[in-house]
Amino acid sequence: MHIGGPFKNAEGGIVGTLTIINVANAAEARTFINNELFHKAGVFESVRVRRWQQMQPEVVPGAKESTAQEARLQLKEDGF
């Protein structure tokens, strides 16, 4: 696990959780989830797996520009 923690509402109640893990593929992500203690205990109503790419701080200097261009192209392809 890279980082994780709860989302909270205005009153301080927990309304969700974000966990960022560093794995090679979706199968490894599912393996992580299936073995995660809160998941095993039935704490989570649902789990969504999304790919994420670090942009800030830049892991490779100058990477943001090419990534931003790729994002613009993807949004156009998706009709946005």
Side-chain angles (χ1 to χ4, degrees):
M1 180 186 308
H2 180 69
I3 194 167
F7 290 107
K8 294 189 171 190
N9 62 20
E11 294 77 35
I14 296 173
V15 295
T17 300
L18 171 70
T19 303
I20 298 176
I21 59 175
N22 186 5
V23 293
N25 53 50
E28 286 186 21
R30 287 284 169 202
T31 298
F32 174 88
I33 291 164
N34 291 336
N35 290 300
E36 198 277 332
L37 293 177
F38 285 98
H39 179 73
K40 282 180 150 183
V43 172
F44 303 126
E45 182 178 304
S46 63
V47 174
R48 287 192 288 177
V49 175
R50 300 279 190 249
R51 295 186 84 177
W52 178 77
Q53 180 177 345
Q54 180 176 341
M55 290 183 65
Q56 296 291 341
E58 287 184 291
V59 291
V60 177
K64 275 193 306 189
E65 183 55 39
S66 64
T67 303
Q69 179 62 22
E70 289 172 23
R72 283 190 291 273
L73 293 172
Q74 183 65 54
L75 287 171
K76 285 181 182 177
E77 288 176 12
D78 291 346
F80 291 98

